[in-house]
Amino acid sequence: MRLRFSTVALTLVAALTASTSLAQDKKAMAFVVNGASDFWKLAEAGVKKAQGELPNYDLQFKYPEQAAAAVQQRLMDDLVAAGVSAIMVSAVDPKSSTDALNRVGGQVPLFTTDSDAPDTNRIAYIGSSNVDAGKQAGEIALKALPNGGKCIGFVGLPGADNARERIEGMKATIAGSKVELIDVRGDDIDMTRAKRNVEDALAANPDIDCMVGFYSYNPPRIYEVLKESGKLGQVTVVAFDEDPITLGGVREGTIAGTVVQDPYEWGYQGMKLMAKYLEGDKSVVPENKLIIVPTKMIDKGNVDAFEAELKSRIGG
């Protein structure tokens, strides 16, 4: 009996050792976002799909405790120290984080998404053309305000490339028209501050014609404040991304339209791209180091079809 027990015990130990070794053999890749927002659920779903097709990798999805460059950098440093093999990041503030991003990129392959850091040693960027997305927002505003009007914008991180480029793109499209973007207010991805910014802007500009939400959570805060003030439907709203409140507003006509990205593909394609790169296939990186996933405009005519697609992706 003792011999049989010892044999079983040794078999179990060997199995556990082999299992641990197999887990350690897996390379880890991380997708690091810029702050806590429901917007990233689609990217997380994309990473989950990629995990099913990359069984030899451990794919991780990480949120910083706070939407601050220093906090995000500390998270990436911890990932590198833990042995992660590659990182994809939406940089909080690329311009002030060049040295820190280069430090990470000097240790593991670094890719960017959502907000690029082209002045660093990142391998490639996969995401939207934020300039083009801003131009589409301008098209929505021009169509909704044929007689012109003054707009105030709201955004999370004014210093981030995605914010700056969207604003520049919109301004380029409305240049020479009677539609103006007179102000943009930042909130550092603080939901309370985001709503207060809209309240303050409305109080200071009671006759404002248009409000633009440049980050995913900004349009819902605009919607809430306008509804509470009795001005919903009176002020034109131009949105970004696909928050349920935003899509509901588009459906009912209180939001003129929204420019949507495809974070699901960022997560899915991004993980597959990094895996191929780690395996030695450098051909996956184009010469300009940009992999653009197109944005599109959603209005009352196509919102139902778009929302059905979203539900199938997250549900899947």
Side-chain angles (χ1 to χ4, degrees):
M1 288 290 290
R2 183 175 300 171
L3 179 60
R4 183 181 299 171
F5 177 79
S6 299
T7 301
V8 171
L10 287 170
T11 301
L12 286 172
V13 169
L16 287 171
T17 301
S19 176
T20 302
S21 176
L22 181 62
Q24 289 175 341
D25 286 343
K26 286 188 176 184
K27 290 183 178 180
M29 299 189 296
F31 192 116
V32 179
V33 304
N34 56 10
S37 170
D38 286 346
F39 169 77
W40 290 113
K41 287 182 179 178
L42 277 166
E44 196 165 1
V47 170
K48 182 179 179 181
K49 180 184 178 184
Q51 180 67 87
E53 298 177 16
L54 297 170
N56 296 325
Y57 291 86
D58 173 26
L59 306 187
Q60 303 175 14
F61 200 90
K62 298 291 185 180
Y63 291 86
E65 296 175 3
Q66 182 183 352
V71 176
Q72 187 183 61
Q73 290 300 327
R74 189 161 58 248
L75 171 59
M76 289 194 289
D77 287 339
D78 289 344
L79 287 167
V80 172
V84 73
S85 296
I87 293 176
M88 179 165 288
V89 62
S90 172
V92 170
D93 189 355
K95 297 203 180 321
S96 69
S97 307
T98 300
D99 291 342
L101 289 169
N102 281 338
R103 184 179 68 249
V104 173
Q107 299 174 83
V108 299
L110 179 68
F111 293 74
T112 53
T113 186
D114 182 45
S115 181
D116 196 10
D119 296 328
T120 68
N121 59 4
R122 61 99 168 101
I123 304 298
Y125 165 81
I126 179 170
S128 305
S129 165
N130 287 293
V131 172
D132 288 348
K135 290 178 178 179
Q136 289 175 320
E139 290 177 30
I140 293 172
L142 290 174
K143 183 177 179 181
L145 296 165
N147 298 318
K150 297 183 184 298
C151 301
I152 295 178
F154 304 91
V155 72
L157 303 167
D161 280 5
N162 59 353
R164 179 182 55 78
E165 290 174 357
R166 291 175 196 181
I167 293 165
E168 289 177 357
M170 182 173 183
K171 286 182 174 179
T173 296
I174 63 177
S177 74
K178 293 181 179 180
V179 177
E180 300 177 75
L181 183 63
I182 62 172
D183 188 20
V184 178
R185 304 187 178 200
D187 54 58
D188 293 325
I189 314 185
D190 181 321
M191 301 302 118
T192 301
R193 185 176 166 193
K195 185 175 182 181
R196 187 169 62 246
N197 278 353
V198 182
E199 293 170 338
D200 292 347
L202 188 60
N205 304 270
D207 297 325
I208 194 69
D209 302 297
C210 164
M211 290 185 168
V212 185
F214 285 101
Y215 272 16
S216 63
Y217 59 84
N218 292 126
R221 304 294 83 78
I222 294 170
Y223 183 96
E224 291 167 4
V225 172
L226 292 179
K227 186 173 183 179
E228 290 167 3
S229 64
K231 292 198 172 185
L232 189 63
Q234 298 176 27
V235 177
T236 294
V237 180
V238 178
F240 274 79
D241 300 317
E242 61 285 320
D243 186 277
I245 293 176
T246 300
L247 296 180
V250 172
R251 183 178 294 105
E252 70 186 18
T254 53
I255 294 179
T258 186
V259 179
V260 298
Q261 305 176 86
D262 200 345
Y264 181 90
E265 289 298 328
W266 305 350
Y268 175 66
Q269 292 186 31
M271 294 298 104
K272 303 269 288 201
L273 172 75
M274 289 202 295
K276 288 181 179 178
Y277 188 87
L278 289 176
E279 291 161 8
D281 183 359
K282 305 302 189 290
S283 69
V284 295
V285 178
E287 187 175 346
N288 65 1
K289 299 183 178 182
L290 300 175
I291 301 166
I292 301 302
V293 181
T295 54
K296 59 183 176 181
M297 295 180 284
I298 302 300
D299 58 22
K300 201 168 183 177
N302 61 359
V303 65
D304 289 337
F306 174 72
E307 193 163 30
E309 180 185 4
L310 284 183
K311 288 179 180 178
S312 69
R313 283 180 160 185
I314 295 178

